[in-house]
Amino acid sequence: GFMEWSFFPPLAELLAARGFGVVRFNFSGSGMRPGEELATDLEGFRGNTFTADRDDVLAVLEAVSGGQLAPERLDPARLGLLGHSRGGGAALLAAASEGWRERIGALVTWASISTYDRFSAEQKAAWRRRGETLVVNGRTGQELPMGTAALDDLEANAKGLDLLAAAGRRRAPWLIVHGTDDETVPVAEAHRLVEVPVPAGVDPAELRVVEGGGHTFGSRHPFAGPRGPLTAAMNHTQRWFRAHLG
């Protein structure tokens, strides 16, 4: 994903129109640069890790909190996070991080993964042998090489990347939005996240299952307007932020 992809700009515009200050950004290892339609930072993509995704979210939070990003528009006392798919995992890890756990006022994840370990033993062995695995960009057909740094990260930092454990540590009110027809991340993963026990005094996560929603809620790139599932996801999201961020 990247910050200009399909529903991200109109979702940001919708939230801004409702009075929220919004920051959207590319992950440093996405391979994308602002304004580009193709992944051109192939070395960034090759060396990307799941921990780096989390650290990118934390860097943006630090920039907002420190007044480095549009201080006249952004209120560091009212912070919310929204992430889609793997970005949902990064948002959850950030919301559960030491130092931010008590500062995040609302969390929303769309079609979020419940685990980063999505590879069989055979796939990992082949990845190691080749020194990379190819990720095909379904939008452009680009074959993007991901090096073994991500696999090393997954194995070395398994505890820190445990999303179910992070789900039990987060304190922010959490809305999980997932489509019934998600072809990439099954809705069963949303149920696993919402069923994680939480400490006393922390509200359980709330799950909104969108009937007929696929992994991108019917949206493609370039954006051709919201369809029913995307409209539902957007409405659930703005209501959640309104309720918990004011």
Side-chain angles (χ1 to χ4, degrees):
F2 60 106
M3 69 185 187
E4 282 95 6
W5 189 85
S6 188
F7 59 63
F8 288 121
L11 174 59
E13 290 163 7
L14 172 70
L15 292 173
R18 298 294 185 269
F20 298 101
V22 184
V23 178
R24 55 187 171 90
F25 64 94
N26 290 331
F27 285 107
S28 59
S30 67
M32 302 297 298
R33 294 186 173 100
E36 295 186 345
E37 286 292 316
L38 293 174
T40 58
D41 182 12
L42 299 187
E43 284 308 304
F45 189 91
R46 177 183 288 277
N48 194 28
T49 67
F50 308 110
T51 298
D53 285 353
R54 179 207 63 193
D55 290 347
D56 284 348
V57 179
L58 294 177
V60 174
L61 287 171
E62 289 282 2
V64 171
S65 182
Q68 296 164 264
L69 288 177
E72 71 283 359
R73 297 184 181 184
L74 302 175
D75 182 357
R78 294 185 294 173
L79 296 172
L81 287 173
L82 167 65
H84 172 257
S85 192
R86 175 171 157 180
L92 173 58
L93 288 180
S97 293
E98 196 71 39
W100 291 101
R101 211 164 24 215
E102 307 298 337
R103 298 179 63 186
I104 304 301
L107 172 66
V108 180
T109 56
W110 287 15
S112 179
I113 57 174
S114 65
T115 178
Y116 286 105
D117 194 351
R118 316 183 75 77
F119 314 97
S120 68
E122 292 76 14
Q123 288 173 317
K124 290 176 181 178
W127 189 348
R128 289 274 184 215
R129 283 196 305 272
R130 292 192 299 263
E132 65 182 30
T133 188
L134 293 178
V135 179
V136 179
N137 184 325
R139 180 179 55 85
T140 64
Q142 277 184 289
E143 289 189 338
L144 305 174
M146 179 182 287
T148 56
L151 186 54
D152 294 339
D153 183 43
L154 189 62
E155 294 175 352
N157 299 311
K159 186 175 179 180
L161 294 171
D162 186 335
L163 292 175
L164 297 181
R169 294 196 306 272
R170 62 88 201 170
R171 296 293 182 269
W174 181 16
L175 174 66
I176 299 171
V177 182
H178 215 109
T180 56
D181 299 343
D182 193 322
E183 69 285 3
T184 303
V185 180
V187 69
E189 297 202 38
H191 287 283
R192 282 199 286 275
L193 289 169
V194 80
E195 289 165 5
V196 172
V198 293
V202 176
D203 290 336
E206 185 172 314
L207 173 60
R208 295 284 183 173
V209 176
V210 178
E211 191 65 35
H215 190 58
T216 58
F217 301 93
S219 183
R220 299 186 184 280
H221 187 84
F223 189 65
R227 300 182 181 183
L230 181 62
T231 299
M234 286 178 159
N235 286 338
H236 289 318
T237 298
Q238 62 176 309
R239 283 195 291 265
W240 193 260
F241 284 144
R242 176 67 63 204
H244 297 287
L245 297 178

